[in-house]
Amino acid sequence: MKTTGVRSFILYILTAGFLGCMGFFLFEFFTQGGEWAMQPYNQHLVAGGQLTWAGTISDRNGTMLVGGQDGVRSYNEDAGIRTATVHTVGDKNGYISTGIQLVYRPQLVGYNPIFGVTTMTGGTSGGNISLTIDSSLCESALELMGSRKGAVLIYDYTTGDILCKVSTPAFDPENIPEDIETNDQYKGAYLDRTISSSFTPGSTFKVVTAASSIEHFSDWKTRTYTCNGSTVINGEKITCMGNHGEITLQEAMGLSCNVYFAELAADLGKDAMTETANEMDFNQPQKLDEIVVAASTYDVSEADENALAWSGIGQYTTLVTPYHMLRMMGAIANDGVPIEPHLVSSMSGSGMTDYTAKTETGERMMPKSTAQALQNMLRSDVANYYNSSLFPSNMEVCAKTGTAEVGDGKEDTGWVAGYCANPDTPYAFVVVVEEGGFGSSSAAPIASQLLQQLL
């Protein structure tokens, strides 16, 4: 009897193990089956490392960006559109790891766990994906960037639709340059700078420092610092582009005064600055639909008082992705709560459940009162401090330019980030121009011309 009991116990363990393994297999099969089917060794779907049988990707106006016919993938006939959208759509080889064509492979080939890959059964074309971008607007952004490296993003902060998304340097996916791996002109061409690159933010980060002041200092409206062209903090000098005298926070934002924001950050301290940065989603993973976005970083844990001051003006080790800055501008426009950006508008076709994007509200980034105070400051920047012709006058643009020092003998990186307060033109935007110099002369004119095109 004792031997029978031991055998029964062992049998129960083996049965439980078998059922557990089977359950794990079925879970993986239903959740990861599409990825299994899309492995490079599946020559029915991937040939020479390239996707073959798959559905169509189009823009918001129905313009075909890439499609397939009889196992052959082809892009739009316009080379400008192909080049402007390559980082969003993806290349045939999958080197652009964040491209729709790679991230949404199972949907494009029409995979489901019951019928498998439907593109290979009955001659169907798989799933079709419609994006929110306007390919013509993207082409214009590419032309405006010219040979400069950087990123352009525009989205509707009331719906979440990304209208323009361009990363440079770009390339024509139908005619990939032979020297793309060796020519410095194409260095980083497979990297989507809008979502996978983080940049020193320069003065655009002063929006975060201002938000921290609003939330931690009751006298933030009347608190003044005196700018005489420089200040010394912890024995080291921090310089400013001007000599502004005694100014308030709103004046300092318009003048982009380094002295004011450096001393402000030092007075706020590490804890307050870090708290505000974290509330605004620094140091946290982000996603755009199913695409993983690089995290922006703000870490002053090892900083002395001078380094903390530099962080307050967007220098030190602070890094921001253009996508994150776009979300922050959308949050400010929406009284502190971002409408989450999205690229995929709809998906339909064989082997997949039809999908239509919905407007999604993100987690609050800042109190409503803070957002409204920032709204006034950013509007004042454009109305009272920037060139009156810098942005279209009837869009009520609210913005902050930035010029970030990157060192290593390189020219500064130019930034502009903002949104339109006019409810008829609810667009938030970010433009980054690497080694572009002043943001007001490199990045802002690009944003302005694209807004004018939208108008």
Side-chain angles (χ1 to χ4, degrees), residues 385-400:
Y385 293 94
Y386 297 164
N387 188 314
S388 60
S389 62
L390 189 58
F391 295 105
S393 60
N394 53 348
M395 301 180 83
E396 299 177 32
V397 175
C398 309
K400 183 75 187 79

Side-chain angles (χ1 to χ4, degrees), residues 284-361:
Q284 299 177 39
Q286 299 187 42
K287 293 188 74 174
L288 170 59
D289 294 326
E290 295 302 315
I291 304 169
V292 176
V293 177
S296 297
T297 55
Y298 180 80
D299 183 5
V300 291
S301 58
E302 301 298 324
D304 61 17
E305 190 178 26
N306 182 269
L308 175 63
W310 276 111
S311 79
I313 60 177
Q315 296 292 154
Y316 188 49
T317 59
T318 305
L319 295 171
V320 182
T321 62
Y323 174 76
H324 182 197
M325 186 64 75
L326 185 77
R327 287 184 67 244
M328 283 196 288
M329 289 299 126
I332 294 170
N334 284 308
D335 289 341
V337 180
I339 297 299
E340 296 293 356
H342 59 262
L343 265 178
V344 176
S345 176
S346 63
M347 295 188 290
S348 62
S350 58
M352 66 190 305
T353 301
D354 288 356
Y355 165 85
T356 301
K358 297 179 181 178
T359 300
E360 293 188 12
T361 302

Side-chain angles (χ1 to χ4, degrees), residues 8-28:
S8 298
F9 179 71
I10 293 174
L11 181 61
Y12 290 145
I13 292 176
L14 292 174
T15 302
F18 172 78
L19 293 175
C21 291
M22 181 60 69
F24 177 75
F25 169 78
L26 291 174
F27 174 79
E28 290 291 302

Side-chain angles (χ1 to χ4, degrees), residues 257-276:
C257 179
N258 285 349
V259 167
Y260 189 102
F261 281 93
E263 294 190 354
L264 178 61
D267 285 348
L268 281 163
K270 295 180 182 181
D271 291 344
M273 286 291 293
T274 300
E275 178 184 312
T276 300

